[in-house]
């Protein structure tokens, strides 16, 4: 028992060091921490990785973190990514977050309205990511969420039918996907 406690203490100490290194500001240290995350990581690393991804400029660090977040095999990852998508902490990252969810194979069947809302309000690539995520869902879906998502996309289509909104064609695709869930 004492041996197991000592092992767990060592693991926790290692994890704390890795999290600290993610924000060191030294690219080599950050990249090493990202690599160590895949060996020593658990769900508690997802949020710090999202912050590091958000704060990293374009380049190798962001690419490596993105790759890792697209390959999550931690069941708690879905809830953490969804909370990040719903929240205000990661503005402009909605498309990335939906990409992480989709690439990790998560089935966000209870949060269709969140995906639709972020897709319609985001830029074109965000809308594409949202549509891709919706198309990947296996169902069955949450009825309330589906109902709200359909209201939102119909409203968007009505409000933008005579405009040149960049997301209008994607919104039509979203409507088609949601209609299939309704059947």
């Amino acid at each position: 028992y004492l041996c197991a406690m000592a092992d767990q203490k060592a693991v926790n100490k290692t994890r704390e060091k890795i999290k600290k290194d993610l924000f060191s500001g030294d690219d080599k240290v950050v990249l090493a921490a990202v690599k160590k995350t895949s060996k020593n990581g658990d769900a508690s690393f997802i949020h710090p990785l999202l912050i590091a991804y958000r704060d990293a400029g374009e380049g190798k660090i962001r690419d490596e973190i993105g790759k890792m977040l697209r390959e999550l095999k931690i069941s708690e990852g879905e809830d953490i990514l969804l909370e990040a998508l719903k929240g205000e902490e990661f503005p402009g990252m909605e498309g990335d977050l939906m990409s992480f969810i989709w690439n990790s194979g998560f089935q966000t069947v209870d949060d269709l309205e969140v995906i639709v809302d972020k897709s319609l309000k985001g830029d074109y690539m965000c809308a594409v990511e949202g549509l891709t995520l919706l198309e990947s869902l296996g169902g069955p879906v949450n009825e309330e969420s589906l109902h709200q998502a359909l209201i939102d996309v119909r409203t968007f289509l009505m409000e933008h039918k005579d405009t040149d909104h960049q997301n209008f064609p994607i919104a039509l695709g979203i409507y088609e996907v949601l209609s299939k869930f309704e059947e």
Side-chain angles (χ1 to χ4, degrees), residues 26-44:
D26 179 334
D27 286 2
K28 284 183 180 164
V29 173
V30 174
L31 279 171
V34 171
K35 284 187 178 34
K36 289 176 189 169
T37 299
S38 63
K39 291 183 194 93
N40 301 288
D42 62 4
S44 73

Side-chain angles (χ1 to χ4, degrees), residues 68-132:
M68 184 173 296
L69 289 169
R70 284 181 182 87
E71 297 171 356
L72 288 178
K73 301 296 177 230
I74 301 169
S75 56
E76 301 99 326
E78 181 175 343
D79 292 337
I80 296 166
L81 292 173
L82 266 170
E83 285 308 308
L85 184 61
K86 290 176 186 177
E88 306 293 320
E89 190 177 3
F90 302 101
M93 274 181 48
E94 294 83 0
D96 294 315
L97 290 164
M98 288 189 278
S99 171
F100 301 154
I101 292 167
W102 174 74
N103 278 285
S104 294
F106 295 132
Q107 294 287 303
T108 54
V109 294
D110 294 331
D111 295 279
L112 301 178
E113 80 286 358
V114 174
I115 295 160
V116 169
D117 178 63
K118 299 298 182 180
S119 299
L120 299 177
K121 288 180 179 169
D123 63 14
Y124 182 78
M125 283 315 299
C126 180
V128 169
E129 291 294 352
L131 175 59
T132 303

Side-chain angles (χ1 to χ4, degrees), residues 62 70 77 81 159 161 178 182:
R62 190 171 198 169
R70 284 181 182 87
L81 292 173
E159 288 174 356
K161 69 178 180 221
L178 294 176
E182 197 176 31

